Amino acid sequence: MEEVRKRLLQVQGRIDKALLKSGRSKSEVKLISVSKNHSLDKMEVVLEEGIIDFGESRVQELDDKYQSFSKEVNWHMIGHLQRNKVKYLARIPSCKLIHSVDSIRLAKEINKRANNEERVMNILVQVNTAQDDNKYGISYKEGVDFVKKVSALDNVKVKGLMTIAPYSSDPENVRPYFRKLKELSLEIKKEGIEGVEMKELSMGMSNDLEVAIEEGATLLRVGSGIFGERDYN
Ligand SMILES: *Cc1c(COP(=O)(O)O)cnc(C)c1O
């Protein structure tokens, strides 16, 4: 467990340094600890250090942890989301943000389930900035129209954009993708779409968080950097 605490402090040190370098303040960037495949005990350590945002990539795991974790935390759904799983998320009041909305059908399902629960669900639109066939997300070109369509749904609120950069051993290689996401968010902001905030940019993971901060990230999704390598067995 001390291992987790040590790693978290290291990650926070990296974040502070990147903030300093880019002249941004601590309050502009939130660290989401990605706890997929990691135990509640480890999450407890992270929580003790004051991190209250946790990201999961599968609905089942998020729901299980929500049911069994005795602490009040903010849950983030960051993985690909199937429409038949949306209802479970809608029933979790502390599921604060869905990062991975990539189709109108999915947005409509979230709207319907949120309406059933008499709530509004905050979402991010996932953008496939690298135009990678193996990755989910809408294209840059679709961005403005997509957000306009989603903005018409009463129980869904668009808070910003999310992207997953392709893995590269040199994080400098992914800078163009982060820059693209920021560009698109400015373009959408310019449209002045009613009810759309475009405040959040969810980008940057363990490997590339410095570059993401420099390019304007507001939400960092960090897993292995905090918890160590995931054990899928
Ligand atoms: C697992 C995951 C992360 C965390 O990745 P690390 O490299 O472990 O920091 C971030 N975002 C998404 C969507 C993920 O699935």
Side-chain angles (χ1 to χ4, degrees):
M1 291 305 140
E2 279 320 298
E3 205 47 41
V4 171
R5 204 183 307 274
K6 227 170 68 189
R7 277 207 205 85
L8 173 61
L9 292 178
Q10 274 166 3
V11 166
Q12 284 172 320
R14 287 171 60 196
I15 293 172
D16 289 346
K17 217 168 135 190
L19 286 171
L20 204 63
K21 185 177 170 197
S22 48
R24 302 182 64 201
S25 80
K26 229 174 167 126
S27 62
E28 291 175 53
V29 176
K30 182 150 55 177
L31 174 60
I32 298 170
S33 54
V34 175
S35 44
K36 65 183 181 208
N37 287 73
H38 291 291
S39 67
L40 296 176
D41 286 348
K42 285 186 182 173
M43 293 170 64
E44 194 107 26
V45 174
V46 172
L47 188 60
E48 276 169 19
E49 295 297 323
I51 307 296
I52 57 167
D53 289 87
F54 291 87
E56 290 289 339
S57 56
R58 290 185 306 120
V59 172
Q60 181 76 55
E61 187 172 352
L62 193 158
D63 198 22
D64 286 349
K65 283 177 171 169
Y66 161 73
Q67 307 278 351
S68 44
F69 205 32
S70 56
K71 307 285 168 34
E72 242 330 279
V73 301
N74 300 325
W75 296 100
H76 295 252
M77 176 59 194
I78 63 171
H80 181 64
L81 179 55
Q82 287 168 324
R83 276 176 296 139
N84 61 359
K85 301 280 171 63
V86 169
K87 55 178 178 288
Y88 304 108
L89 290 183
R91 287 177 198 147
I92 301 174
S94 51
C95 178
K96 293 292 165 74
L97 189 62
I98 300 173
H99 293 229
S100 45
V101 176
D102 61 355
S103 76
I104 296 296
R105 288 168 80 196
L106 175 59
K108 282 184 174 164
E109 178 66 16
I110 296 170
N111 187 59
K112 178 177 137 189
R113 298 296 177 176
N115 183 54
N116 287 349
E117 303 294 327
E118 296 179 21
R119 66 181 294 193
V120 171
M121 293 202 83
N122 294 327
I123 64 148
L124 304 179
V125 175
Q126 182 170 355
V127 184
N128 187 354
T129 46
Q131 294 173 285
D132 178 344
D133 290 341
N134 299 314
K135 284 209 161 61
Y136 294 106
I138 65 160
S139 69
Y140 189 107
K141 283 200 316 284
E142 295 172 287
V144 170
D145 271 356
F146 189 92
V147 172
K148 276 183 184 161
K149 278 186 192 142
V150 177
S151 73
L153 305 170
D154 287 335
N155 294 72
V156 170
K157 204 164 168 48
V158 182
K159 294 286 186 182
L161 306 177
M162 178 271 231
T163 199
I164 304 174
Y167 177 81
S168 170
S169 56
D170 181 2
E172 210 42 59
N173 291 338
V174 302
R175 190 183 293 278
Y177 307 120
F178 293 155
R179 202 164 275 181
K180 249 177 151 176
L181 195 70
K182 171 83 185 192
E183 231 173 78
L184 179 57
S185 91
L186 293 175
E187 209 168 292
I188 294 170
K189 212 181 263 179
K190 227 169 40 198
E191 296 281 325
I193 305 163
E194 205 186 309
V196 172
E197 266 177 72
M198 279 299 130
K199 187 171 147 276
E200 308 290 359
L201 285 179
S202 171
M203 57 190 198
M205 318 201 310
S206 299
N207 187 48
D208 51 24
L209 64 91
E210 286 90 349
V211 176
I213 290 171
E214 286 166 30
E215 296 302 328
T218 65
L219 300 171
L220 305 170
R221 309 181 309 268
V222 179
S224 50
I226 297 172
F227 294 102
E229 292 308 317
R230 282 177 287 278
D231 179 6
Y232 288 102
N233 298 315

